[in-house]
Structures are given as C-alpha cells and as structure tokens.
C-alpha cells in the first residue's frame, strides 16, 4: 500500500502496479483498461509516491508474476547486478536527478544500461518532463552494424519503406529507387508485404537483394513478415539479411503474435548462420507499440507505457540492428491525439535508449486520430534533437498499403538540413559516388540517365 496526502485528501494505491499506472500521463489506452488516474491531482499524488520509491523495489516486486511470464523471468534472471550497483541506492526521484546531471555522461549511461530494468526506465520517465526525456536520451549512445554503421552521434538514418497494396514488384522497385535517389535507405530497405504467400515473399527478398548487390549499396534489406515465414525462407536459401518480428511486453501478448523467446532465438541463430553482414552481426529488427498488450487482453493490469518498456527487454536480449516504436499506428483507442502521440514517442525513445537499444520511431498516426502532419513535424523534430537512430521514409508520407500517415523522404531532408545530421558513413560514401549527394551531404539534381533510373526502366547502365 502506498499513500500520499495532498491538502486534506489522501490517495491510496494498493500495489506497485496501480501506483505506476496512476502516475502515467493521461492516455486513452489506460482509460480503456481502467487503470488510469481519475484526476490530475491523483496523478500527481502517484508521482510523488513513485519518486520516493527505491529502485531496488522493482527487482523485488515484479509487475507481472514471475511464474506466469517469461518476459518477467528474462528481466529478473538476466539482470546485471554489477551494472546496477552504482545506482542501486537511488530512489526513482534521485535517479531522475542523476540522469540529468553531468555525472551521467554517455560512457556512464552505457555502463549502467544492463542494470536498468524496463520498469525502472518506465517509472523514471513518468516523473520527467518532455525536455528531460530529450536531454537524457541525447546522451545515450547505441551503435549497431550489419553492412553499415548506425547510431553514431550526429547521424540519422532512414528506413526506406516501399510498400505496395498488391505487392507489385515493379511498384515496390519504383518506390525503392525513388527513396534511394532522395538519400533514404541507410537503416534498411524494409517491405511490409500484403501477402503471406511464401513464393511471393521469396521473390521480394530476391528483388531487394538484386538491387543492393547490383549497385553495391552498403545497406540491408528486410521483408517484414512473421518470423516463422522468415525461417522457412532461410531454409529455402533466400537471401535474408534481417529477421523481423513485432514484439510485446508480456508472454501472453507475444503468444498472440505467435512467438516465444525460444522461437526468436532460433530465428536469430538461423540468420547468423548465413553470415551476410559485412561489418557486424546485428541481424534482428523489431517493432513495438504502446497498446499492443491491451489490444491482446494481455496487459495484467499494467499501464501501456510500462508494457511497452518491457518489450524492450525482449529486444535487448537479441541485440537488434534496429528497433522502432510505431507510436501512433495502433490508433486513437490507445493514443488519442497529437499530444498523447508526441509524449508517447518521447517516452518510448527515452526508455529504449536508456536500456541500450538503437531506438527508432515511425512518427505516424491513423486517419481517425485527432492528429495531423503538423503534430508529426513536432514529434520528428523533438526526436531528432534527442538523438533518434532512424525514422521511416514513405513516398509522400502516405503508406498506401497499411493506410496510415508516416514521414516522407522529404521529411528526412528537412530534419537533416535543420540539425546538420548525416547519413550512415558507409552509405554517405555510396551516395556521393552515385552523384546523389554532394560533398556537403546535400541532394543533387538527378540526371535522366542516372543508373538507378535506367534500372527502373529495365535497362542496364
């Protein structure tokens, strides 16, 4: 039992799970789950109680029962006590102050990251302002490698997302080459297929690999199908670079996705056996999103932001090349409007980076949410300032297959110009060699006989 008195009124919170939920910023998913604070005053009371809570409590009182949940077991059994020791005496409030101090520099944050549990990260985020989330995330450095180097300070990469509603190879190729000519694609060229047909998925893999190999592009490809399909593609000898899977923060929610930790481990080993990386062996790509546990009725009464942070424990275990939150994709039932989406995006990025992950974000919203592209401009700018690893590049910011609004190739140009952010270094060398960017990194005009345009027309350069 936790109790706080504000004025003449006392607020009681029955357990740590309720305290965490009541301390969360208002969002529609927590109201839907009936775990949210009923007033701003109750929310503040919960934050006051949470700030006084020792970090050690999260190791002693799991929010999801240890016996029932393999994600909880992963968090507890895999906890690095030595990394935790320097901050083990802190309360949640002290932890916030320490994170904002000069003492917590990039090297120190990297050392303590393995000792921070998702619940600790979620808890401290709940008592932080947006500027706090941005400042601390900016200090976190997470670098990963496959065929190029991602996450370096002063760099921002783009996942080129050339989706097509009928999986037309020609349509996908057109969007892919369009994105490359805008300098996008250094994070990954990743397709969300409309079909689960294995022969079609195989064709998509070969098409992506053909373009990458033909033009010697230092990037990686991924067909974002279910992990079991990717395993079958590997068995068939398809040129698979990265293994993709959507993940969540509880065992029950992951079971709803048709996955387990053991299955992800099998897929990781299969991808590693191909030895397709040239610079590194980070072979996994994960996507997450606040609300996934609630939509699967698998949240155990835990607020959606804490469930999201727990998904990062799953990702961290598999050392991914990329992980991104599809922050506004699940819909207004979980994040109602632009204000909630912006806050959630900053929380997700902060928690992921604090836990040592290469966090990117699909800065996005569905068409029935109370949000618009101006909100996305705001979130994109804040996240890039905070050291975002990568964003999504979709033609015109309108994904015609998934039917939602994201960010465009032009948005990437905007944020790079605004903040002086660079491409992945190996990719930048390739872009300059292909006369796509100049020495300063700015986009060049594309000639009609550019090799990529000739390839789209079916001609060999």
């Amino acid at each position: 039992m936790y109790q706080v008195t504000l004025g003449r009124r006392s607020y009681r919170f029955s357990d740590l799970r309720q305290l965490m939920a009541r301390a969360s910023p208002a969002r529609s998913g927590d109201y839907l789950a009936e775990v949210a604070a009923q007033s701003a005053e109750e929310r503040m009371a919960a934050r006051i109680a949470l700030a006084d809570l020792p970090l050690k409590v999260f190791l002693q009182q799991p929010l999801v029962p240890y016996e029932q949940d393999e994600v909880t077991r992963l968090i507890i059994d895999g906890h690095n006590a030595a990394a935790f020791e320097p901050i083990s005496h802190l309360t949640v409030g002290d932890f916030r102050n320490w994170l904002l101090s000069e003492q917590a520099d990039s090297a120190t944050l990297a050392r303590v990251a393995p000792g921070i549990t998702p619940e600790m990260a979620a808890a401290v985020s709940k008592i932080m302002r947006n500027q706090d989330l941005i400042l601390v995330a900016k200090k976190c450095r997470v670098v990963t490698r496959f065929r190029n180097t991602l996450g370096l300070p002063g760099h921002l990469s783009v996942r080129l997302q050339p989706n097509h509603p009928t999986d037309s190879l020609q349509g996908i190729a057109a969007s892919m080459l369009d994105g490359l000519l805008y300098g996008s694609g250094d994070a990954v060229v990743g397709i969300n297929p409309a079909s689960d047909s294995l022969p079609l998925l195989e064709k998509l893999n070969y098409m992506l690999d053909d373009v990458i190999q033909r033009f010697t592009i230092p990037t990686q490809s991924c067909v974002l199908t279910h992990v079991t399909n990717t395993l079958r593609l590997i068995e068939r000898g398809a040129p698979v670079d990265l293994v993709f899977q959507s993940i969540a923060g509880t065992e029950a929610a992951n079971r709803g996705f048709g996955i387990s930790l053991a299955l992800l481990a099998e897929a990781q080993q299969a991808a590693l056996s191909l030895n397709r990386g040239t610079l590194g062996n980070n072979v996994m790509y994960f996507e997450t999103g606040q609300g996934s546990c609630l939509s699967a009725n698998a949240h155990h009464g835990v607020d959606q932001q804490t469930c999201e942070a727990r998904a990062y424990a799953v990702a961290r275990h598999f050392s991914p090349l990329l992980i991104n939150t599809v922050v506004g994709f699940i819909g207004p039932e979980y994040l109602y409007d632009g204000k909630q989406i912006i806050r959630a995006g900053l929380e997700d990025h902060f928690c992921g980076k604090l836990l040592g992950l290469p966090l990117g974000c699909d800065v996005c919203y569905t068409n029935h949410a109370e949000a618009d592209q101006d909100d996305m401009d705001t979130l994109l700018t804040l996240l890039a300032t905070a050291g975002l690893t990568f964003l999504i590049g979709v033609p015109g910011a309108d994904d015609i297959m998934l039917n939602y609004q994201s960010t465009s190739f032009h948005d990437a140009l905007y944020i790079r110009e605004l903040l002086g952010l660079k491409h992945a270094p190996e990719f930048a060398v390739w872009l300059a060699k292909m006369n796509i960017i100049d020495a300063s990194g700015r986009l060049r005009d594309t000639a009609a006989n550019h090799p990529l345009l000739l390839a789209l027309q079916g001609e060999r350069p």
Side-chain angles (χ1 to χ4, degrees):
M1 171 74 73
Y2 303 90
Q3 182 172 330
V4 173
T5 300
L6 294 180
R8 297 182 178 180
R9 184 166 184 179
S10 292
Y11 291 91
R12 294 178 177 84
F13 309 99
S14 60
D15 56 22
L16 182 55
R17 182 165 44 200
Q18 186 181 78
L19 178 65
M20 290 277 281
R22 298 293 196 270
S24 282
R27 60 205 53 193
S28 51
D30 288 339
Y31 287 115
L32 184 64
E34 299 182 342
V35 301
Q38 296 304 301
S39 68
E41 186 173 279
E42 183 187 20
R43 184 172 296 110
M44 185 54 65
R47 289 175 178 173
I48 290 171
L50 186 60
D52 288 336
L53 195 71
L55 290 178
K56 290 179 179 177
V57 170
F58 293 101
L59 298 173
Q60 302 159 358
Q61 300 179 31
L63 301 186
V64 181
Y66 180 93
E67 298 77 14
Q68 300 176 17
D69 189 88
E70 69 173 359
V71 177
T72 297
R73 294 193 291 274
L74 177 69
I75 293 167
I76 299 299
D77 296 347
H79 182 250
N80 189 319
F84 179 60
E85 196 279 331
I87 59 172
S88 61
H89 62 289
L90 300 178
T91 64
V92 173
D94 293 333
F95 188 35
R96 170 194 175 271
N97 295 337
W98 180 81
L99 288 170
L100 291 167
S101 72
E102 293 183 3
Q103 181 183 354
D105 58 17
S106 297
T108 302
L109 289 172
R111 284 196 299 271
V112 302
I116 301 172
T117 70
E119 291 84 356
M120 293 175 193
V124 74
S125 77
K126 296 177 192 300
I127 63 169
M128 297 175 84
R129 292 173 56 184
N130 286 359
Q131 64 174 252
D132 300 337
L133 300 174
I134 293 168
L135 184 60
V136 176
K138 179 75 170 180
K139 295 193 288 184
C140 297
R141 304 280 188 245
V142 184
V143 177
T144 57
R145 293 178 174 88
F146 189 74
R147 291 201 189 99
N148 56 23
T149 306
L150 304 175
L152 294 171
H155 291 67
L156 175 67
S157 295
V158 178
R159 170 191 160 188
L160 204 172
Q161 184 169 299
N163 295 343
H164 193 277
T166 64
D167 289 331
S168 162
L169 294 181
Q170 186 175 16
I172 289 170
S175 293
M176 177 182 177
L177 296 175
D178 184 33
L180 290 170
L181 289 168
Y182 276 106
S184 293
D186 48 347
V188 64
V189 181
I191 301 170
N192 296 94
S195 169
D196 279 333
S197 162
L198 206 63
L200 176 60
L201 298 175
E202 193 169 27
K203 288 180 181 178
L204 291 174
N205 268 281
Y206 276 105
M207 187 271 286
L208 292 176
D209 186 63
D210 176 65
V211 175
I212 289 173
Q213 299 301 329
R214 188 194 311 182
F215 294 102
T216 322
I217 308 173
T219 190
Q220 37 281 328
S221 66
C222 185
V223 176
L224 282 69
T225 186
H226 193 269
V227 63
T228 53
N229 287 333
T230 304
L231 278 168
R232 293 168 67 191
L233 289 169
I234 292 173
E235 291 170 358
R236 291 164 66 115
V240 172
D241 287 344
L242 305 182
V243 174
F244 167 80
Q245 184 55 49
S246 294
I247 57 173
T250 69
E251 179 180 346
N254 283 325
R255 193 182 308 123
F257 284 140
I259 63 168
S260 65
L261 297 180
L263 179 61
L264 294 177
E266 179 187 353
Q268 183 186 36
Q269 290 305 310
L272 287 171
S273 72
L274 300 179
N275 197 30
R276 291 178 59 81
T278 55
L279 295 183
N281 60 0
N282 299 114
V283 297
M284 306 298 282
Y285 175 22
F286 296 118
E287 284 189 346
T288 66
Q290 288 194 28
S292 57
C293 289
L294 175 57
S295 65
N297 194 28
H299 59 96
H300 296 271
V302 178
D303 68 272
Q304 67 180 40
Q305 189 252 333
T306 302
C307 285
E308 170 73 4
R310 283 170 54 90
Y312 301 156
V314 176
R316 181 167 64 175
H317 183 66
F318 296 101
S319 304
L321 179 76
L322 304 164
I323 171 175
N324 70 272
T325 167
V326 286
V327 63
F329 180 74
I330 303 181
E333 298 83 5
Y334 308 97
L335 295 170
Y336 179 72
D337 56 15
K339 180 179 177 64
Q340 291 188 12
I341 292 171
I342 289 168
R343 173 69 190 191
L346 295 176
E347 289 170 348
D348 294 351
H349 180 253
F350 163 83
C351 287
K353 294 296 276 294
L354 190 63
L355 292 168
L357 286 168
L359 230 292
C361 184
D362 190 347
V363 178
C364 63
Y365 63 101
T366 57
N367 289 305
H368 61 308
E370 291 295 322
D372 58 28
Q373 214 65 32
D374 286 336
D375 295 316
M376 300 306 102
D377 287 347
T378 299
L379 178 54
L380 171 60
T381 305
L382 294 175
L383 285 171
T385 304
L388 184 70
T389 302
F390 73 102
L391 70 151
I392 307 299
V394 178
D398 183 7
D399 192 304
I400 59 174
M401 196 284 281
L402 292 173
N403 194 29
Y404 78 116
Q405 308 304 308
S406 184
T407 45
S408 69
F409 309 139
H410 299 81
D411 293 325
L413 295 177
Y414 146 72
I415 201 65
R416 284 200 173 108
E417 177 73 18
L418 178 70
L419 300 178
L421 300 171
K422 301 176 183 178
H423 304 83
E426 301 84 359
F427 193 76
V429 171
W430 179 82
L431 289 173
K433 179 182 176 182
M434 296 292 289
N435 292 316
I436 295 173
I437 62 172
D438 61 22
S440 67
R442 289 201 173 102
L443 206 66
R444 289 181 181 272
D445 290 335
T446 302
N449 64 346
H450 192 281
L452 291 177
L453 292 177
L454 294 178
L456 181 60
Q457 298 165 14
E459 299 178 26
R460 292 280 180 173

